[in-house]
Amino acid sequence: MDRSTEIREFLRTRRARVTPEQAGLAPHPGARRVPGLRREEVAQLAGVSVDYYVRLERGRTQGVSQTVLDAVARALQLDDTERAHLFDLAQPTAARARSRRPLAPQRVRPAVYRALDALAVPAMVQGRRMDILAANRLGYALIADFQARPHRERNAARFVFLDEAAPALYTDWERVAGDCVATLRLYAGRHPDDPQLTELIGELSLHSDTFRRLWADHDVLAHTTGSKRLHHPLVGDLTLEYVVLAVEGDADQNLIIYTPEPASPSAEAIGILASWTNAPTAASLAPEQAHKPAD
């Protein structure tokens, strides 16, 4: 991915969200040709010259300081996730240099498989590019049987945008799709040289108008907690809370756990789904059988 283009479009779309009134600036007389803030207004708010900010927005970030990036982030009213993304795009670091090397294969440790199977609620392990590395039987039964799919198709983004079952499963499919793209955007800022990410983005852009539209928004999101509404083909409507937990030893690997409210219709539906599901559990498979290591 071209870093200069990414910085330019990210800053441009962030500028467009903030009005002068929101930024505490006096309204500019006359009609405005662009939505949101002008470049000179961002420069004024950040305390830098207009030329300096223009160079930054064009991706010329060599030597840019953390102080300047912090000031730009405040001027554009970035949240913590957006600020981190700006730093990923603008400041090449040792971590970025390491990312240019081939990524080591991701493996799910046996202890994580055991933890998955110990859970009485749906859970799965998500890796780079939203690859689904493993799940317990309820996790597969709830979303999709990724285990039965070719390794290349064991990916949550491919499921959301390319599988006709996804819009029927997710009651708020458009929101899920937006969150999915924003998650990929955040990963892209950390791993811009990942060839499999480039392939995935190209495939989704080719086959999904919605993905292309959302990708152009340059939104970023770090999932931690939230809720999802689903219409499951076997047990009907469900509302589940989810929590995303980091897996020790792999910064790009997360454990996602879905839980219903106790004694709710969703909890009853999960119980019914568990009784109807005969899929093998994660621990019954050797790691190399459950998921071929991904680069």
Side-chain angles (χ1 to χ4, degrees):
M1 299 178 66
D2 182 71
R3 188 167 61 87
S4 296
T5 300
E6 292 298 307
I7 295 171
R8 180 180 69 245
E9 292 304 308
F10 179 67
L11 291 176
R12 181 188 63 79
T13 55
R14 298 315 93 176
R15 279 197 294 113
R17 299 183 317 177
V18 183
T19 66
E21 292 77 14
Q22 290 172 327
L25 297 174
H28 194 279
R32 298 180 68 89
R33 293 181 299 171
V34 295
L37 296 175
R38 296 185 172 97
R39 292 186 180 90
E40 56 266 30
E41 291 169 332
V42 178
Q44 175 187 341
L45 290 165
V48 299
S49 71
V50 176
D51 286 344
Y52 190 99
Y53 177 75
V54 169
R55 290 198 300 272
L56 176 62
E57 192 166 300
R58 288 176 177 172
R60 295 164 60 184
T61 61
Q62 185 174 4
V64 65
S65 69
Q66 178 175 329
T67 301
V68 168
L69 292 178
D70 276 329
V72 170
R74 287 194 299 271
L76 295 175
Q77 301 181 13
L78 304 187
D79 62 26
D80 290 344
T81 301
E82 291 170 327
R83 177 186 175 278
H85 185 62
L86 173 61
F87 271 71
D88 281 335
L89 295 175
Q91 276 196 331
T93 63
R96 180 178 293 280
R98 288 194 299 270
S99 74
R100 294 192 181 99
R101 304 171 187 170
L103 294 170
Q106 284 189 291
R107 301 182 185 277
V108 179
R109 299 200 306 273
V112 177
Y113 281 99
R114 292 193 295 270
L116 281 171
D117 286 338
L119 294 169
V121 292
M124 58 185 60
V125 177
Q126 184 171 282
R128 302 182 190 120
R129 304 168 294 272
M130 302 186 73
D131 287 346
I132 303 302
L133 305 180
N136 60 11
R137 63 184 179 88
L138 270 174
Y140 287 129
L142 179 68
I143 306 298
D145 189 2
F146 291 103
Q147 181 177 285
R149 297 177 178 223
H151 292 290
R152 185 175 178 276
E153 296 179 15
R154 299 180 187 183
N155 179 275
R158 280 193 175 95
F159 174 73
V160 167
F161 287 100
L162 303 183
D163 195 309
E164 62 183 14
L169 175 65
Y170 293 113
T171 305
D172 305 310
W173 180 83
E174 183 77 20
R175 180 173 66 83
V176 171
D179 289 351
C180 180
V181 172
T183 300
L184 283 178
R185 269 283 179 202
L186 189 64
Y187 174 85
R190 296 168 180 164
H191 299 286
D193 303 306
D194 182 349
Q196 292 188 45
L197 174 68
T198 302
E199 178 187 359
L200 174 62
I201 292 170
E203 179 184 3
L204 297 178
S205 298
L206 179 64
H207 296 291
S208 172
D209 294 338
T210 301
F211 180 85
R212 287 197 301 274
R213 172 173 57 82
L214 294 172
W215 189 252
D217 290 340
H218 286 260
D219 291 336
V220 291
L221 178 68
H223 276 295
T224 53
T225 61
S227 65
K228 278 190 170 65
R229 296 193 302 152
L230 303 96
H231 181 78
H232 195 275
L234 295 180
V235 296
D237 293 333
L238 293 157
T239 299
L240 301 174
E241 302 295 320
Y242 67 84
V243 61
V244 181
L245 305 174
V247 175
E248 187 73 21
D250 188 339
D252 294 321
Q253 197 173 128
N254 295 302
L255 174 63
I256 306 173
I257 304 172
Y258 296 90
T259 58
E261 183 180 348
S264 66
S266 294
E268 181 180 355
I270 288 294
I272 294 172
L273 184 61
S275 68
W276 287 352
T277 300
N278 296 314
T281 59
S284 69
L285 296 173
E288 62 271 15
Q289 292 175 307
H291 185 82
K292 180 181 178 181
D295 292 336

